[in-house]
Amino acid sequence: MANSPQTAAKDVSPAPVVRFAPSPTGFLHIGGARTALFNWLYAKANDGQFLLRIEDTDRKRNNPEAVAAIYDGLKWLGLDWDGDAVSQYARADRHVEIAEALLANGNAYRCCLTTDELNAMRKQAEAEKRTFKIRSPWRDKGLDETRKDQPFSVRLKAPQDGETIVHDEVQGDITFANQDLDDFIILRSDATPTYHLAVVVDDHDMGITHVIRGVDHLNNAARQNLIYAALDWDIPTYAHVPLIHGADGAKLSKRHGALGVESYRADGFLPEALRNYLVRLGWSHGDDEIMSTQQLISWFGLDGIGKSPARFDTQKLEDLNAHYIRESTNEDLLEHIRAVLPEIEDGNTLADKLTKNDGWAKLEMALPGLKPRAKTVLAVLDGARFITDQRPLVLEPKAAKLLDDDAKGHLAQLKTRLETASDWQAATLEAIVRSYGEEADIKLGKIAQPLRAALTGRTVSPPVFDVLAALGKTESLARLADQTV
Ligand code: GLU
């Protein structure tokens, strides 16, 4: 059956060690979050380790806030990493050490090509209409005395013929012609490592067994394999996952509203909804849409990752979020509400109001009625505004329209009956309203809608008897009085 695939037998031994290796750009973007999630799931699914390495060698971009944004995003998503995060920058000495080892074993060389010389070579290639490839004159001759004190970079002495094959669990075997790979720089003239060297050395030293990352790094894997070979190190298992596209089919960018994870938090998405959504971007388990974290952990495997790019669909994310909001316990939802309050414009005022007059307890009572109507935590809060709104309520025009003289007359009578209610439970209040409707020979809607308008100032709210119960007797009667006298 298409929607009940077998759980892949797991036999990954020894236990895998994976990593998420973001460059600190100021936020954890949605593609990075998906990569982190796949790695985390792979580790959890196979009793492995999930390590975090901050690729902070670009000092211009690096700052503590940018790194904190990554930590925050991962923590909010519940993607806890093992041990302390590794700073790539802090390992600079080790990168130099390995570059020197490559010089010593003859697989790298010092190159004194200047920018001007390189530009001239590029121009000449253009003039001769051939693809420009760096062929350094320093590859085969050592530095002579005249150049000894000049700045040099270190290049890998890459094979110039033959092929490099990247074995990839998702993309299959991808073959690269070595003549296209160039002698790329591994250590710059200021002794800083390039990305390729740093990644290989760090992955090796951290004991990484599986590299799961975006397919935009596939070409890099070919170069990185050359470094592994030059050091006689084992190459990790690769899984390059497809990119995420926007609804228009173009690579996901800010233009599509693809922002950092923190903006989804601020917009009232639940981490479990985002996790469930992100995992489906590129990975599938039959037709399953809604999957608990436990199910994901038991089902996740590299064989479920497809090759074609995934499409980001905000509507789907919202639907999943609505599902998780409906399913969440009051306690969890209240916690999410507390967390989102500081992120919204009048959040502090709202928090104050909720703290006064038993607002939190009233909100909790209203939650069962609010959950089925909300796609985001913000929508829950918005639906709960009737709790914190101050009397006399400012009515929405549509609500005001419902309160004509006739309706006000009924509300006044109903108020007298409600005053004598034996208790203030939704069921008791419903019975009172219904019996009034029967006696006055009007449909329930005819009385419930004006009642809702008077109590909430709106035409849409949780069930009106729940609203009465949540507001409490004094406040409910006072709101009715505001509209009837
Ligand atoms: N730092 C790279 C990035 O943020 C990832 C490198 C890797 O996963 O090998 O795209």
Side-chain angles (χ1 to χ4, degrees):
M1 240 160 63
N3 60 356
S4 58
Q6 296 298 304
T7 301
K10 284 174 181 153
D11 180 25
V12 182
S13 53
V17 182
V18 296
R19 56 29 167 215
F20 175 48
S23 310
T25 53
F27 54 85
L28 175 60
H29 63 84
I30 214 74
R34 197 260 322 239
T35 301
L37 175 62
F38 279 17
N39 277 285
W40 183 85
L41 281 173
Y42 194 71
K44 292 272 174 242
N46 298 292
D47 290 327
Q49 287 184 63
F50 170 63
L51 307 184
L52 176 62
R53 180 172 73 234
I54 306 292
E55 306 220 311
D56 50 358
T57 51
D58 180 352
R59 302 316 280 170
K60 285 194 290 294
R61 283 169 116 196
N62 183 66
N63 61 60
E65 292 81 48
V67 177
I70 292 169
Y71 293 161
D72 284 353
L74 289 174
K75 282 185 195 155
W76 179 72
L77 268 178
L79 307 181
D80 46 329
W81 57 94
D82 292 300
D84 290 337
V86 171
S87 154
Q88 187 159 67
Y89 176 68
R91 296 178 36 81
D93 290 350
R94 172 72 174 152
H95 303 140
V96 173
E97 183 187 322
I98 295 299
E100 280 167 357
L102 284 164
L103 284 170
N105 77 8
N107 283 321
Y109 60 94
R110 295 185 174 84
C111 172
C112 292
L113 274 179
T114 62
T115 316
D116 287 348
E117 285 169 333
L118 273 171
N119 286 341
M121 288 164 86
R122 189 173 286 118
K123 274 211 178 110
Q124 195 176 340
E126 270 169 31
E128 293 170 15
K129 297 206 181 336
R130 48 180 177 81
T131 321
F132 172 61
K133 287 192 199 98
I134 293 171
R135 290 283 178 254
S136 168
W138 305 101
R139 177 181 165 108
D140 297 314
K141 59 174 182 181
L143 291 192
D144 60 32
E145 281 308 312
T146 59
R147 297 277 194 152
K148 275 257 153 43
D149 298 326
Q150 289 194 13
F152 62 85
S153 51
V154 178
R155 288 185 189 274
L156 190 80
K157 197 182 267 185
Q160 292 183 331
D161 44 35
E163 289 171 338
T164 293
I165 300 175
V166 174
H167 301 289
D168 192 277
E169 293 292 311
V170 177
Q171 310 294 333
D173 282 357
I174 309 290
T175 304
F176 295 82
N178 285 339
Q179 57 168 354
D180 295 336
L181 294 178
D182 274 354
D183 285 352
F184 55 92
I185 294 179
I186 53 174
L187 199 68
R188 299 186 192 90
S189 55
D190 62 359
T192 59
T194 58
Y195 156 72
H196 292 303
L197 179 69
V199 162
V200 169
V201 174
D202 293 351
D203 281 346
H204 173 265
D205 288 0
M206 289 163 75
I208 302 300
T209 59
H210 293 67
V211 168
I212 305 169
R213 61 185 174 189
V215 74
D216 48 338
H217 287 292
L218 186 62
N219 289 350
N220 295 335
R223 293 200 158 83
Q224 289 161 15
N225 277 4
L226 296 179
I227 303 180
Y228 280 108
L231 289 160
D232 206 12
W233 286 349
D234 287 342
I235 294 172
T237 300
Y238 290 116
H240 286 93
V241 304
L243 296 183
I244 304 173
H245 285 180
D248 58 0
K251 190 181 164 196
L252 197 67
S253 68
K254 279 190 188 163
R255 193 167 50 80
H256 297 103
L259 305 162
V261 156
E262 79 291 341
S263 70
Y264 291 92
R265 173 177 58 194
D267 285 347
F269 286 91
L270 301 185
E272 52 270 44
L274 195 56
R275 255 191 340 247
N276 192 154
Y277 181 67
L278 288 177
V279 79
R280 296 279 284 104
L281 294 177
W283 177 83
S284 59
H285 181 263
D287 294 334
D288 290 326
E289 295 272 357
I290 291 169
M291 292 171 268
S292 70
T293 303
Q294 269 325 305
Q295 287 172 322
L296 289 177
I297 290 174
S298 66
W299 291 338
F300 190 82
L302 302 180
D303 49 352
I305 302 177
K307 274 195 204 179
S308 42
R311 288 215 178 188
F312 195 86
D313 181 342
T314 311
Q315 179 70 44
K316 269 196 176 161
L317 171 58
E318 280 181 3
D319 290 347
L320 270 176
N321 205 49
H323 165 84
Y324 282 98
I325 285 180
R326 277 197 303 277
E327 299 285 300
S328 58
T329 62
N330 286 351
E331 203 184 341
D332 283 349
L333 199 50
L334 285 174
E335 206 164 292
H336 288 301
I337 289 172
R338 279 196 187 91
V340 90
L341 276 171
E343 315 239 10
I344 61 178
E345 214 185 317
D346 64 342
N348 287 341
T349 326
L350 213 53
D352 273 355
K353 286 183 184 167
L354 283 167
T355 306
K356 281 179 206 147
N357 305 325
D358 262 352
W360 285 105
K362 290 177 184 168
L363 173 58
E364 185 166 358
M365 282 181 77
L367 281 183
L370 290 165
K371 283 178 196 172
R373 289 169 178 74
K375 288 195 162 184
T376 65
V377 177
L378 294 192
V380 174
L381 259 181
D382 185 54
R385 292 231 171 217
F386 72 87
I387 292 167
T388 47
D389 283 346
Q390 303 283 311
R391 294 182 38 232
L393 298 189
V394 181
L395 305 188
E396 282 178 356
K398 273 205 273 182
K401 238 175 146 181
L402 288 172
L403 294 174
D404 55 18
D405 287 345
D406 193 30
K408 283 185 179 184
H410 287 307
L411 286 187
Q413 300 219 35
L414 185 61
K415 177 171 163 280
T416 321
R417 300 201 177 192
L418 289 169
E419 275 163 2
T420 61
S422 55
D423 63 60
W424 205 256
Q425 303 293 321
T428 313
L429 302 167
E430 179 170 353
I432 294 175
V433 176
R434 280 185 188 279
S435 84
Y436 173 77
E438 275 161 28
E439 280 171 40
D441 199 22
I442 50 169
K443 286 204 174 111
L444 185 65
K446 275 267 177 222
I447 186 78
Q449 272 304 82
L451 185 57
R452 181 190 315 280
L455 292 170
T456 68
R458 297 179 174 193
T459 53
V460 181
S461 80
V464 73
F465 310 112
D466 293 340
V467 170
L468 279 167
L471 285 174
K473 186 170 185 177
T474 315
E475 182 69 18
S476 297
L477 294 177
R479 288 187 186 194
L480 287 181
D482 287 343
Q483 303 305 331
T484 50
V485 289

